[in-house]
Amino acid sequence: MKKLSKIKYLEFYIFSIIMMAYGLFLDSPYEIYQGLLKILTSSSILVSDYIEIGGMGASFMNAGFMLFISLIFAEKSGTPITGALIAGLFTLTGFSFFGKNILNSLPLMIGVYLYTRIMGLSIVNYMQVMCFVTGISPLVSVLIFGFDFSLIWGISLGFLAGIIIGLIVIPISSSFVKFHDGYSLYNIGFTLGVIGIIYAGILRMFDREIPSTYIVYEGNDLYSFLFILVFCLGLVIYGIFKNKGLGAYKEILIQSGKLISDYTIDSNKYLVMINMGLTGLIAILFVKFSNGVFNGPILGGIFTIIGFAAFGKHPRNVLPIMMGVFIASTVNKYEPSSTTAILTGLFSTTIAPIAGEFGFIAGIFAGFIHKAVATNTGFIHAGLNLYNNGLAGAFVAAVLLPLFRSFKERRES
């Protein structure tokens, strides 16, 4: 059967164009232009919902454009479409609804490219890192627009900081994966979280306090809901039709999902599409069950889950984690229908491999603990790291893994 890694970029280009066209359907070109200006000049600190800041049409245009540009970079470099790249592309697309744009992402991407050139490495092996490194893009925006620097100084400092991070992220992330042993899928998120802590500390040390930001859209979400629903259903229906059923899908479901689990290598193209669609539908149901709004951050969370359903996630290992977070949300002081609570539930699936390896109950417990940790890690990096749950998930995995392994060994002995 044809592997997903063998497919052409055309389908991804089509999807990016559909997103941009959908933006033009939602708003006029002038409204989108005005909205994009607001998006580009926003601080983009976690949480900055581009739908609220620039409008729904501009947000879809921004996300589609970011995907389109990334596809050009990847295709021109000769990078094959693997599970890791799909995860990177969909994460980049999703976060382009609340934090990423071409201005604050480009310096980070340039830094990664320069590192591969300096070290004599092939960018083909690091294209997914080029996508993921944009998780700390708010730092670039804050340095340009967040303080009283002149525009020239702000751009210079922002681009310099972004390029430096791009230059150092690959060696640091390669070392940090040992911390959680591959049981947190957002390893770059953990790396950027630590880097974000350092930069936030430096800024605070020089009396440059980064204000907390919470801008979320709470209006009519019909069009955003329909878009993500139709997309996920389309993946499932098309995948089942081309695969002639769900045969061999259990080959994906039995995997723990631990890094590195690339389903595009282990399974055929259409089974991966089915998994992406089904896992996305579970995320949609979670939002609906929590009475949430399909705003920019929520769309970002769902797109990230869909992307990682080609690289570690599947219904069997994400459900227990999300259930654990939901249980925590219903018994704690935070409103379970809030965007923050739902985001934690969606992004908590970074530790899905724990449920895949140690079982349903362990997954629920891990999700519960993740909720507590993720709620308190945002302050230390001041929202500079969009992948806050990647930072929290690594700590949760590092703490729980020795315990779960001990219990498992004792039970099997």
Side-chain angles (χ1 to χ4, degrees):
M1 288 179 285
K2 188 178 181 181
K3 299 289 186 181
L4 188 57
S5 58
K6 298 296 184 183
I7 69 170
K8 299 178 180 179
Y9 277 82
L10 180 61
E11 292 158 289
F12 293 88
Y13 278 120
I14 291 173
F15 180 60
S16 68
I17 292 170
I18 288 173
M19 292 191 78
M20 290 187 281
Y22 196 67
L24 287 169
F25 166 77
L26 295 172
D27 291 313
S28 70
Y30 181 74
E31 289 173 322
I32 290 175
Y33 167 74
Q34 291 290 100
L36 287 174
L37 285 180
K38 293 177 181 178
I39 287 172
L40 289 172
T41 56
S42 68
S43 70
S44 298
I45 289 289
L46 193 67
V47 178
S48 297
D49 187 343
Y50 285 168
I51 292 181
E52 179 66 22
I53 292 171
M56 192 169 291
S59 298
F60 272 92
M61 180 64 70
N62 184 62
F65 177 73
M66 289 295 288
L67 175 58
F68 188 83
I69 291 297
S70 301
L71 288 169
I72 292 176
F73 291 161
E75 185 180 29
K76 294 300 182 183
S77 70
T79 306
I81 299 176
T82 62
L85 181 59
I86 291 173
L89 289 171
F90 273 86
T91 299
L92 178 68
T93 303
F95 277 90
S96 295
F97 283 97
F98 75 118
K100 300 182 182 183
N101 56 65
I102 191 63
L103 178 62
N104 63 18
S105 298
L106 192 58
L108 294 150
M109 292 178 164
I110 291 173
V112 172
Y113 176 75
L114 289 176
Y115 175 82
T116 61
R117 296 287 292 180
I118 292 169
M119 301 302 293
L121 304 172
S122 173
I123 189 62
V124 169
N125 298 320
Y126 298 98
M127 187 55 63
Q128 71 275 8
V129 178
M130 188 178 285
C131 294
F132 287 129
V133 73
T134 53
I136 200 167
S137 56
L139 173 63
V140 178
S141 291
V142 165
L143 289 172
I144 297 175
F145 303 111
F147 301 120
D148 55 359
F149 301 128
S150 67
L151 186 60
I152 294 176
W153 265 108
I155 292 175
S156 299
L157 290 172
F159 271 60
L160 179 62
I163 291 172
I164 289 173
I165 293 173
L167 284 167
I168 65 176
V169 71
I170 291 175
I172 295 177
S173 62
S174 298
S175 176
F176 277 13
V177 73
K178 301 171 187 175
F179 183 76
H180 52 79
D181 198 24
Y183 284 86
S184 178
L185 296 174
Y186 306 159
N187 182 53
I188 299 291
F190 174 47
T191 306
L192 296 179
V194 174
I195 294 173
I197 292 170
I198 295 172
Y199 270 93
I202 293 172
L203 290 171
R204 286 166 176 154
M205 188 169 65
F206 288 96
D207 199 27
R208 299 286 180 175
E209 189 66 34
I210 303 167
S212 60
T213 303
Y214 187 74
I215 303 172
V216 296
Y217 176 76
E218 298 291 349
N220 187 343
D221 64 350
L222 176 63
Y223 289 110
S224 54
F225 166 67
L226 287 177
F227 184 90
I228 196 68
L229 178 64
V230 170
F231 177 60
C232 290
L233 286 173
L235 286 173
V236 174
I237 294 170
Y238 182 73
I240 290 176
F241 173 76
K242 297 296 289 186
N243 192 62
K244 296 181 173 58
L246 291 171
Y249 180 48
K250 65 179 180 180
E251 293 176 3
I252 291 178
L253 294 177
I254 61 175
Q255 297 190 44
S256 70
K258 176 186 173 184
L259 288 175
I260 299 173
S261 297
D262 191 335
Y263 301 148
T264 67
I265 296 174
D266 301 331
S267 300
N268 75 69
K269 164 185 175 178
Y270 305 112
L271 288 176
V272 176
M273 293 179 68
I274 293 169
N275 191 56
M276 292 170 68
L278 286 177
T279 310
L281 288 173
I282 288 173
I284 291 171
L285 288 174
F286 177 80
V287 177
K288 279 294 186 182
F289 192 71
S290 302
N291 294 316
V293 176
F294 288 82
N295 51 33
I298 299 302
L299 286 179
I302 297 173
F303 272 118
T304 301
I305 285 180
I306 292 171
F308 272 91
F311 196 63
K313 297 182 183 181
H314 52 69
R316 191 176 69 84
N317 65 10
V318 301
L319 268 173
I321 304 295
M322 296 171 78
M323 287 180 62
V325 173
F326 183 80
I327 292 171
S329 296
T330 58
V331 298
N332 68 12
K333 66 178 182 179
Y334 304 105
E335 173 58 48
S337 64
S338 69
T339 294
T340 301
I342 296 172
L343 273 182
T344 304
L346 296 173
F347 287 118
S348 66
T349 51
T350 178
I351 55 172
I354 292 179
E357 178 72 24
F358 300 102
F360 199 86
I361 301 301
I364 292 176
F365 182 76
F368 190 97
I369 299 300
H370 181 91
K371 167 70 174 180
V373 177
T375 305
N376 291 280
T377 51
F379 170 78
I380 53 177
H381 57 76
L384 295 178
N385 175 32
L386 294 172
Y387 308 149
N388 181 57
N389 283 272
L391 177 64
F395 284 113
V396 172
V399 171
L400 294 183
L401 277 176
L403 300 176
F404 288 160
R405 282 171 172 163
S406 177
F407 293 149
K408 185 178 180 180
E409 290 171 2
R410 187 173 183 84
R411 187 174 66 247
E412 292 175 351
S413 62

